[in-house]
């Protein structure tokens, strides 16, 4: 429209119609490009999605000639370090109807410096043991980003030790990172706090024994205990004795305690009853015997009594005689009972029989001598006192006498057999 020529002919004509002409050439040649006075301003956005669309209406261009000025654009992208870091050189071109053109460039910078926002992570939690610590769960982390793109979730655990293997804290930090490396973090606190004591499921059974020597030793290896946490459970024990009436009558409360690595403990008690009800056994006493006289009755001999007891301890020997009278002082029986008693008063007895049975007559060692006299009037009287007799037993010997006369040829001729008899108490 603005490139053409005009041949402008001027004609001079007189009144008679005579005419002559001369031509002026006017050349129209638009070589001036429109002038762009305004384009959309340079801008910086965070995301590709926020890049503004081209806006021809935002371009202001004037031209030296009347006519339509056409606006076009073209983008030249300069890549950056990531999907949301680059620049666009957006060139707007104003072209008049003659193809004269001028350009102006808008710079659009895409620069994502905004980290994703974590809106949810697994909740803080407390567990009893290391084995119960939950695994990390990226799927439970909710994070939003200002730009449309994948957000990568990572995690890291920092452990703060506590007083034992199952008492500590874990700071589990979840980190959300966008494609440009912008990152934000949120931390879940996992507290491991073992407050649960082991459970004792078995200890040695209650038992009753007769003697201290039979009290079973402790046996930690037979104690069965389970714990909520992995780790060694230590078994200890302690005895509390409740005295009874004697050395072998009492009870023991044997408490087994199971303690885990964190010092949590539980206990169970075995009752051991020591109750000696068994009497000593007498294996030997002095033998039964017979003697002639009370004076020959043997003394008791506790040392000759042999007794054994089921329990260790002193066995006391005592004795008692029960006399069954007989017909005389040296005829009777003695039931001599030896009793053995242990420290708890359990007793047993055995009896020795001693028989006193005097069957031995006194021995007459002297009587008045045989004599001859002339007349009956001269016959001596009896003299029991002159009779000497000994007896095997202590006791009174009674002397009696009796005369047996054998007649002779006349009144003063005869013989007397005077018999002295010594008789003991039996």
């Amino acid at each position: 429209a603005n490139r053409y020529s005009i041949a402008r002919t001027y004609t001079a004509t007189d009144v008679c119609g005579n005419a002559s002409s001369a031509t002026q050439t006017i050349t129209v040649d638009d070589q001036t490009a429109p002038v762009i006075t305004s384009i959309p301003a340079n801008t910086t956005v965070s995301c590709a999605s926020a890049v503004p669309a081209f806006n021809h209406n935002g371009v202001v261009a004037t031209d030296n000639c009347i006519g339509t000025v056409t606006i076009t654009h073209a983008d030249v992208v300069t890549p950056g370090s990531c999907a949301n870091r680059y620049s666009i050189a957006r060139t707007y071109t104003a072209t008049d109807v003659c193809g004269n053109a001028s350009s102006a460039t808008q710079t659009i910078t895409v620069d994502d410096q905004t980290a994703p926002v974590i809106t949810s992570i697994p909740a803080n939690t407390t567990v009893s043991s290391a084995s119960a610590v939950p695994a990390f769960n990226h799927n439970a982390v909710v994070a939003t980003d200002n730009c449309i793109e994948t957000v990568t979730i990572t995690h890291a655990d920092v452990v703060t030790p506590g007083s034992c293997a199952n008492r500590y804290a874990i700071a589990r930090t979840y980190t959300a990172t966008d494609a440009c490396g912008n990152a934000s973090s949120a931390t879940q606190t996992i507290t491991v706090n073992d407050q649960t004591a082991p459970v004792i499921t078995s200890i040695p059974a209650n038992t009753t024994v007769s003697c201290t020597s039979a009290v079973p030793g402790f046996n930690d290896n037979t104690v069965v205990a389970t714990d909520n946490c992995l780790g060694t459970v230590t078994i200890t024990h302690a005895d509390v004795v409740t005295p009874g009436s004697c050395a072998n009558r009492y009870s023991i409360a044997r408490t087994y305690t199971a303690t885990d690595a964190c010092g949590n403990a539980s206990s169970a008690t075995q009752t051991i009853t020591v109750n000696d009800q068994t009497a000593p056994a007498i294996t030997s006493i002095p033998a039964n015997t017979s003697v002639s006289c009370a004076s020959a009755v043997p003394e008791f001999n506790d040392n000759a009594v042999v007794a054994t007891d089921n329990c260790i301890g002193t066995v006391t020997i005592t004795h008692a005689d029960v006399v069954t009278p007989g017909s005389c002082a040296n005829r009777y029986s003695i039931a001599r009972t030896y009793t053995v008693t242990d420290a708890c008063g359990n007793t047993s007895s055995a009896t020795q029989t001693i028989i006193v049975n005097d069957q031995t007559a006194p021995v007459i060692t002297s009587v008045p001598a045989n004599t001859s006299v002339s007349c009956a009037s001269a016959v001596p009287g009896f003299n029991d006192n002159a009779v000497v007799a000994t007896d095997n037993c202590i006791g009174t010997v009674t002397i009696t006498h009796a005369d047996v006369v054998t007649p002779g040829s006349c009144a003063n001729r005869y013989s007397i057999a005077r018999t002295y008899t010594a008789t003991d108490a039996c």
Side-chain angles (χ1 to χ4, degrees), residues 51 64 352:
V51 171
N64 60 324
Q352 174 192 22

Side-chain angles (χ1 to χ4, degrees), residues 197-272:
V199 176
I200 296 177
T201 55
S202 178
I203 61 170
N206 294 341
T207 187
T208 297
V209 296
S210 293
C211 306
T212 297
S213 60
V215 171
F218 63 85
N219 190 353
D220 294 346
N221 292 329
T222 63
V223 178
V224 179
T226 59
D227 194 42
N228 61 316
C229 297
L230 299 176
T232 300
V233 174
T234 302
I235 306 298
T236 56
H237 65 275
D239 284 355
V240 175
V241 176
T242 301
S245 59
C246 61
N248 288 298
R249 282 189 190 142
Y250 59 94
S251 65
I252 301 171
R254 178 167 288 164
T255 299
Y256 287 96
T257 300
T259 306
D260 64 19
C262 287
N264 300 304
S266 64
S267 299
T269 300
Q270 173 194 21
T271 299
I272 301 168

Side-chain angles (χ1 to χ4, degrees), residues 37-417:
T37 59
S38 177
I39 62 172
N42 293 341
T43 188
T44 298
V45 295
S46 293
C47 305
S49 60
V51 171
F54 63 84
N55 183 5
H56 292 178
N57 293 329
V59 178
V60 178
T62 60
D63 194 41
N64 60 324
C65 296
I66 297 170
T68 300
V69 174
T70 302
I71 306 299
T72 58
H73 70 277
D75 286 351
V76 176
V77 177
T78 301
S81 59
C82 61
N84 287 298
R85 281 189 190 144
Y86 59 93
S87 64
I88 302 170
R90 177 166 288 166
T91 300
Y92 287 97
T93 299
T95 306
D96 63 17
V97 293
C98 288
N100 300 303
S102 64
S103 297
T105 300
Q106 174 193 21
T107 300
I108 301 169
T109 302
V110 181
D111 185 16
D112 182 10
Q113 295 292 339
T114 302
V117 175
I118 296 177
T119 57
S120 177
I121 61 170
N124 294 342
T125 188
T126 297
V127 296
S128 293
S129 62
S131 60
V133 171
F136 63 85
N137 186 359
H138 291 176
N139 293 330
V141 178
V142 178
T144 59
D145 194 43
N146 60 320
C147 297
I148 299 172
E149 60 187 21
T150 300
V151 174
T152 302
I153 306 297
T154 57
H155 71 277
D157 285 353
V158 175
V159 176
T160 301
S163 59
C164 61
N166 288 299
R167 282 187 189 147
Y168 59 93
I170 301 171
R172 177 166 289 164
T173 299
Y174 287 97
T175 299
T177 306
D178 64 17
C180 288
N182 299 304
S184 64
S185 298
T187 299
Q188 174 193 23
T189 299
I190 301 169
T191 302
V192 182
N193 185 18
D194 181 12
Q195 296 290 343
T196 302
V199 176
I200 296 177
T201 55
S202 178
I203 61 170
N206 294 341
T207 187
T208 297
V209 296
S210 293
C211 306
T212 297
S213 60
V215 171
F218 63 85
N219 190 353
D220 294 346
N221 292 329
T222 63
V223 178
V224 179
T226 59
D227 194 42
N228 61 316
C229 297
L230 299 176
T232 300
V233 174
T234 302
I235 306 298
T236 56
H237 65 275
D239 284 355
V240 175
V241 176
T242 301
S245 59
C246 61
N248 288 298
R249 282 189 190 142
Y250 59 94
S251 65
I252 301 171
R254 178 167 288 164
T255 299
Y256 287 96
T257 300
T259 306
D260 64 19
C262 287
N264 300 304
S266 64
S267 299
T269 300
Q270 173 194 21
T271 299
I272 301 168
T273 303
V274 182
N275 186 18
D276 182 12
Q277 297 289 344
T278 303
I282 297 176
T283 57
S284 177
I285 61 171
N288 294 338
T289 188
S290 292
V291 296
S292 294
C293 306
S295 60
V297 171
E299 294 290 325
F300 62 84
N301 186 2
D302 293 346
N303 292 329
V305 178
V306 178
T308 60
D309 194 40
N310 62 317
C311 297
I312 297 170
T314 301
V315 174
T316 303
I317 309 295
T318 57
H319 63 275
D321 286 353
V322 175
V323 176
T324 302
S327 60
C328 61
N330 287 298
R331 281 189 191 144
Y332 59 92
S333 65
I334 301 170
R336 178 166 287 165
T337 300
Y338 288 96
T339 299
V340 291
T341 306
D342 65 18
C344 286
N346 299 304
T347 64
S348 63
S349 299
T351 300
Q352 174 192 22
T353 300
I354 303 169
I355 297 174
V356 181
N357 184 16
D358 183 10
Q359 295 293 338
T360 302
V363 175
I364 297 174
T365 58
S366 176
V367 295
N370 293 338
T371 188
S372 292
V373 295
S374 296
C375 302
S377 60
V379 171
F382 62 85
N383 187 0
D384 293 344
N385 290 330
V387 177
V388 178
T390 61
D391 194 40
N392 62 317
C393 295
I394 297 170
T396 301
V397 175
T398 303
I399 305 299
T400 59
H401 62 275
D403 287 351
V404 175
V405 177
T406 301
S409 60
C410 63
N412 285 299
R413 282 187 187 153
Y414 56 93
S415 65
I416 301 169

